[in-house]
Each structure stands twice: as structure tokens, then as C-alpha cells.
Amino acid sequence: MPANLTCPDCGTVYEAGPDEPWRCACGRGLEFTERPHPQGDPLPLHSLDTSEGLWTFFEFIPIEQHVTFYEGFTPIVDAPEWDAQFKLEYVFPTGSFKDRGATTTLSRAVELGVEKVIDDSSGNAGASIATYAARAGLEADIFVPADVKQSKLMAIQRADARPVRIEGTREDVTAACLRAVEGNAGGDDGAGTDGSSAPRQTGEGWYASHAWNPAFYAGTMTFAFEVAAQQGWTVPDAVVLPIGHGTLFLGAYRGFSLLNEAGIVDGMPRLLGAQAAGCAPIVAALGGDTVDADDAGTDIADGIRITEPARGTEILEAIEETDGDAIAVGGDPIETALDRLHRNGFYVEPTCAVAPTALEQYREAGVLDDDADVVVPLTGSGLKTL
Ligand SMILES: [Zn+2]
């Protein structure tokens, strides 16, 4: 039986199904009612069978495996110039960490008997959902801005998904997507057994949203399991991650939290966020500096240009709980860092350079000790930006 959904704020429970609400009536993102984790001591990495990639950690995932390329277990390598370890999250079937969430989200869609999935994304998430829908044999509509880059459109079309181009702002794209998800009845037909009026998915398809769907985060949390396993079931002192919607940031937080709950590790890494100057809502919420002299961060880091993260409150909670932080970095240092990454053999997309840039600024500001053990994910391949 697919896991039901619940709201961590008001406690409402919603029954699993193709028309389940995509968020709570109170506005909060939903979670699964189940938080499974394995019992007993974890196996050391050398005796762990990792042939099924991130699904090695199926005991933590409240979703049955239906759609997979056995993705995950990405390499973690020394990066001496940065005195850190880089986790190569661009080593995935579609060249970005978004595949972590796509394998679990499409698996959930199959579990629910969904026939068509819908997402709104102009970048890596759209390509990833389209690709995993192809693997599942499901139809997919991906809502994109009318001025979407040709290369990104191609990635969606190649997988036989249907791009739906919408004029206007990024927010207009999401609004059009939600109209398709909810159908004409909108949120008014939601009175279910719970009696609430949550926005149900009675329109053209199921919202495979990388920002809202808890199934996506059930996948991205495997990042934390892999880091811990690759470090002999310990956690690093800090992880520096980019924040757009925070899909990897929150996944890391959930994964490390679950490892602690299961008694597998003891302690949380500090979660340090990286945003681009000019579009840094989390930094702004923390009262930090969001502009830079050149203020061109968002032009380069288009992959994290999100003005209103769907789960912003949760991101702030994760920062608070882990003694974390978030800073905004400018366009010039990002470009310099990107060149340096490429010269060192890390062929990543520009958005990826934001976290290594932030790492250096955290060190300069004394937020991180010189000998701190730090992991930085490199989230997307440079091959797609050609
Ligand atoms: Zn609620």
C-alpha cells in the first residue's frame, strides 16, 4: 500500500491516491506518514551491495522501487585546491542530482496508478522528470517559460515528453501548471474524508513537482546516506550546498536526521547554503547581504534562480537546527570558480560553481575552521550547457 500523506503543521492526514492533494489545505508541503529506517548496525561500505545505486537504501524510502536506472552512489573525491571533498552529483543518467528525486517520484507515480505526470521546470528537473517518465512509460507534460533555451527544450522533447510553453514570468508558468494539475474544479472539490479543502489533483495529471512532492525529497535524502557510507558511517563537519528550491539541501537535512534517528551516526553536519547575489531569498530571510558589487550572480547561476522557494520555512529550520548559514555570492567570483573547476577536470555547469565559491567565503569569514572536514556536491554537468 502506498504511504499516506500528512501535514507536519496541522496534522491532517490525506489518503494516498492519484488525486491526493499536492499540498495541505493550510498551505504547507506534505510529508509521508511513514518514516522507515533499518534496524541494527549498518554494513561497512565494502560489504554493502551497491549494485542498485541509491536504492541500496530502500529501507529508508517509503516508496516501492518501480522506475530506476540504478542511479546514485556518485563518486566522492578529494579536491586539494579547495581542501574539501567534492561529491560528483553530475554523474547521473541525465547529468544532475535531480535524478535522485525523479527515480522515487516516478516510482511513487506508478505505485499510485498515475497515467500522466506534470511538472514545471525550465532546467534539470524538467529533463529528469521527462526522462524517468519515459522509463516508466508514462506521459509527461513539462511547463516551461516561452523563452526557454533550445538545449533544455530538446532534452524534454527527446524523451517524448510534451513541453508546454507559457508566456510571462516563472510564477506564471507555475500558475498555468497548477491549473492543469487541479483541473476546472480547482481546490474547491477537495472535501475528502478529512473534510478539508486541500488542492486535489483532479485535472490532467499528477504533480511530479521537484519542489512540493515529498516523493522527490525521499530520493534526494539518499545523498546523505551515501556521504555517510562513503565516510565509514560518520558525518562531515559541514556540507556546503546550493539553494534554489532547496531540494538537495532539504534532502541532505532529512537524510542526516534519519541516520541519527536510526542510531547509525551521532551528530549532524553544519548545512551551509550558497545562493547567487541578486536572487537570495533565504539569505535575505536570515538578514544577510544579498547584493554584490556586480550583482550578476543570477545571470550565471540560472539553475537556482528561485525567488520563492516552496519550502522556504523548512530550509530556515534546517539552517537553525544544524548551526548552519546561507550567503550570497557574486557573479565574478562564480565565473572565476567555474574556470578553476574546469581546469581541475570538473566539467560542471555554471550554477555548480556557486557552492565552491561560497566555501571559500565561509573560510575567509572564519565560519569554517581551516581543518574542518567539508563535503561539497557538484550538482550538474557542463555537457548540457554546450
Ligand atoms: Zn496543514
Side-chain angles (χ1 to χ4, degrees):
M1 285 291 287
N4 290 330
L5 301 174
T6 184
C7 171
D9 269 3
C10 67
T12 310
V13 174
Y14 301 95
E15 207 172 300
D19 67 341
E20 64 192 17
W22 62 269
R23 68 166 158 77
C24 186
C26 77
R28 170 103 183 205
L30 293 167
E31 302 301 336
F32 292 117
T33 48
E34 295 164 28
R35 282 172 67 86
H37 57 68
Q39 309 294 324
D41 293 331
L43 287 171
L45 189 56
H46 62 81
S47 45
L48 200 61
D49 175 7
T50 60
S51 59
E52 297 206 351
L54 62 84
W55 288 95
T56 301
F57 303 107
F58 73 95
E59 289 169 294
F60 288 95
I61 302 173
I63 299 166
E64 281 175 22
Q65 181 201 86
H66 288 285
V67 187
T68 183
F69 293 100
Y70 301 131
E71 56 287 297
F73 256 107
T74 56
I76 193 162
V77 301
D78 285 330
E81 273 208 33
W82 286 266
D83 193 17
Q85 288 194 295
F86 286 166
K87 189 155 168 63
L88 309 188
E89 292 287 281
Y90 58 98
V91 184
F92 267 104
T94 76
S96 97
F97 80 94
K98 292 286 193 339
D99 292 356
R100 284 191 191 281
T103 179
T104 46
T105 301
L106 268 296
S107 287
R108 167 87 176 171
V110 169
E111 218 179 12
L112 297 176
V114 164
E115 284 170 8
K116 182 181 189 175
V117 297
I118 301 179
D119 194 9
D120 51 321
S121 163
S122 54
N124 288 327
S128 184
I129 292 292
T131 300
Y132 280 77
R135 176 78 169 160
L138 296 185
E139 278 185 66
D141 281 359
I142 310 293
F143 284 66
V144 297
D147 62 353
V148 64
K149 280 189 193 132
Q150 192 62 25
S151 61
K152 307 218 158 162
L153 208 55
M154 288 300 294
I156 293 166
Q157 285 171 323
R158 264 199 304 270
D160 203 25
R162 190 170 72 110
V164 183
R165 300 167 83 137
I166 302 294
E167 298 285 345
T169 64
R170 183 67 185 79
E171 286 67 35
D172 293 330
V173 176
T174 298
C177 176
L178 286 174
R179 281 194 296 277
V181 167
E182 294 177 13
N184 292 331
D188 299 333
D189 65 335
T193 48
D194 48 78
S196 73
S197 59
R200 288 191 174 268
Q201 308 184 67
T202 47
E204 295 165 31
W206 184 74
Y207 196 20
S209 170
H210 57 287
W212 287 100
N213 204 310
F216 203 90
Y217 298 88
T220 54
M221 72 180 176
T222 59
F223 168 83
F225 308 151
E226 291 178 20
V227 169
Q230 287 166 325
Q231 298 203 336
W233 296 110
T234 63
V235 301
D237 295 323
V239 187
V240 182
L241 307 109
I243 301 178
H245 271 301
T247 49
L248 189 58
F249 193 89
L250 286 175
Y253 178 64
R254 287 161 184 230
F256 286 119
S257 300
L258 216 44
L259 287 172
N260 276 275
E261 279 175 37
I264 292 170
V265 302
D266 189 16
M268 293 286 285
R270 297 175 72 189
L271 297 183
L272 300 171
Q275 298 201 293
C279 183
I282 298 298
V283 179
L286 292 170
D289 207 354
T290 60
V291 291
D292 190 77
D294 59 62
D295 205 26
T298 49
D299 293 340
I300 304 166
D302 65 316
I304 52 171
R305 196 188 296 153
I306 303 291
T307 52
E308 284 184 53
R311 292 170 178 263
T313 313
E314 292 170 53
I315 296 170
L316 293 170
E317 285 165 4
I319 289 172
E320 166 87 27
E321 288 292 314
T322 65
D323 187 26
D325 202 351
I327 57 170
V329 296
D332 287 346
I334 296 172
E335 269 192 80
T336 308
L338 183 64
D339 284 345
R340 201 165 145 215
L341 284 165
H342 290 170
R343 284 200 313 275
N344 279 271
F346 301 106
Y347 193 48
V348 295
E349 66 179 356
T351 303
C352 269
V354 174
T357 306
L359 166 65
E360 303 212 296
Q361 296 188 9
Y362 278 123
R363 282 226 176 88
E364 281 164 26
V367 174
L368 279 173
D369 292 337
D370 287 343
D371 60 350
D373 165 25
V374 185
V375 173
V376 182
L378 299 182
T379 46
S381 169
L383 292 172
K384 269 201 276 188
T385 52
L386 283 173

